[in-house]
Amino acid sequence: MAELQSLILAGGTMQPISELEQQLSLEGSKDMDSEKKSDGRENQEDLMDRMLAFSCGHVVPAENILPMVLMNGPSGKALNFSFGMRKNPEMINELSRTLLNLCNIIPGGVIVFFPSYDYESYVYNLLEKNGVLTKLEVKKKIFREPKKSSDVDKVLDSYASCIKNASSSTSKITGAILLSVVGGKMSEGINFSNDLGRCVIMVGMPYANIQSAELKEKMAFLDAHSSTPSAGQRYYESLCMKAVNQSIGRCIRHKGDYAAMILLDNRYGRPQTIAALPSWIQTSTTVQSSFGAAVASIRKVRN
């Protein structure tokens, strides 16, 4: 069999690209002559030097998207949905106020992504208990991602019908809100085009379970064999951001589409985290410390 001379990978969600390059160089170095390079690290560096990454712009004009890192909630409290903070009563209250404010000004459909099914259920039950769901339903009918795959189409049809009916009536209802889970049934392969997705809200950062035995072994292997410093940690960060990028892209599906993408967590404001967003989103991303200023920006989005 002839040796591979070139390899082309093409895809819509490949960021963060550095982690992909690392994986390719690690695999490719295994097949290279290692007589003079016993640990393969120099082979990896050679391969990475020969890689070319190309990212083109999106057909959607930059003014049609509003990607935003929201650092603080309406009360001015810092938004941090890390594992140790996400069930903090202050975080839940701030999330409640944020959702109420945003759903009051955003037309059509709003998709809210949570990092796990357990957390989505936890938040839903609390919002129901404290009356926030009732307040939300003044503007948006609430839908939840179903547990069964067989129920997905039914939920999506009802969600779409609600938004369509809202746009053609004089009711106070302006659309619907869909509570979803990153990596779940709604985060990949579903097109929330036009009014189905005028805003995507990411609650926290969907990091994988660091205690997973499989993940620990993968990270340890990368640290031991990769020429890239902290390769295991970079892989861990990349898993999170790939999931984020997959989810927020659900709302922009054609060149005339427009939407806001709101990242609710001050950790998204880190330069290395913003750099892991797709280039067409990254260049338009703003970091908002003032909730009032964020709302003012959202109001300017076409409606």
Side-chain angles (χ1 to χ4, degrees), residues 50-294:
R50 290 156 54 187
M51 291 182 190
L52 176 64
F54 171 74
S55 178
C56 57
H58 203 286
V59 295
V60 175
E63 60 268 22
N64 281 27
I65 63 171
L66 184 64
M68 177 189 302
V69 176
L70 199 51
M71 303 286 281
N72 302 300
S75 298
K77 291 183 173 59
L79 295 172
N80 186 308
F81 294 94
S82 57
F83 188 78
M85 287 290 294
R86 64 178 58 169
K87 292 185 178 181
N88 183 298
E90 287 190 352
M91 283 301 101
I92 299 297
N93 290 337
E94 208 70 350
L95 175 59
S96 300
R97 298 184 192 101
T98 299
L99 292 178
L100 285 168
N101 276 275
L102 294 180
C103 287
N104 194 46
I105 62 173
I106 295 171
V110 175
I111 304 102
V112 182
F113 281 107
F114 292 90
S116 68
Y117 283 102
D118 285 345
Y119 191 56
E120 185 275 339
S121 181
Y122 178 82
V123 171
Y124 181 88
N125 290 333
L126 277 183
L127 297 189
E128 184 176 45
K129 183 178 180 180
N130 63 21
V132 173
L133 292 186
T134 301
K135 294 177 182 178
L136 278 172
E137 288 195 312
V138 172
K139 288 288 185 179
K140 307 283 187 190
K141 185 172 181 181
I142 299 170
F143 294 87
R144 300 176 71 188
E145 180 174 314
K147 293 291 181 66
K148 297 181 180 178
S149 297
S150 56
D151 292 334
V152 170
D153 287 343
K154 180 181 178 181
V155 171
L156 287 175
D157 287 345
S158 298
Y159 172 77
S161 294
C162 177
I163 293 170
K164 181 179 179 180
N165 293 336
S167 65
S168 59
S169 72
T170 56
S171 166
K172 289 184 178 180
I173 297 289
T174 62
I177 181 171
L178 177 60
L179 307 180
S180 306
V181 177
V182 175
K185 303 169 185 66
M186 304 295 186
S187 64
E188 186 174 354
I190 306 294
N191 294 334
F192 293 106
S193 60
N194 302 320
D195 281 347
L196 295 183
R198 290 304 179 205
C199 179
V200 170
I201 300 173
M202 292 290 305
V203 180
M205 300 187 72
Y207 282 108
N209 180 9
I210 194 66
Q211 299 304 320
S212 162
E214 182 179 353
L215 179 58
K216 282 184 176 180
E217 286 298 315
K218 178 72 172 183
M219 292 173 66
F221 175 83
L222 291 173
D223 285 335
H225 296 88
S226 177
S227 62
T228 305
S230 304
Q233 183 62 32
R234 292 182 67 174
Y235 172 73
Y236 182 61
E237 296 285 341
S238 177
L239 285 178
C240 172
M241 291 309 296
K242 282 184 184 295
V244 170
N245 295 340
Q246 192 75 254
S247 299
I248 62 178
R250 298 298 94 209
C251 63
I252 296 292
R253 311 312 298 170
H254 59 84
K255 67 179 182 180
D257 218 347
Y258 62 94
M261 306 166 182
I262 303 176
L263 307 175
L264 290 186
D265 199 302
N266 56 19
R267 291 174 294 169
Y268 282 111
R270 299 174 299 193
Q272 69 269 28
T273 303
I274 293 177
L277 295 169
S279 57
W280 63 279
I281 294 177
Q282 181 188 141
T283 53
S284 299
T285 300
T286 60
V287 178
Q288 295 283 3
S289 297
S290 165
F291 187 81

Side-chain angles (χ1 to χ4, degrees), residues 22-32 43-44 47:
Q22 170 191 303
Q23 294 283 329
L24 290 172
S25 66
L26 184 57
E27 290 299 318
S29 65
K30 295 177 182 178
D31 298 325
M32 294 179 67
N43 290 337
Q44 295 172 41
L47 283 170

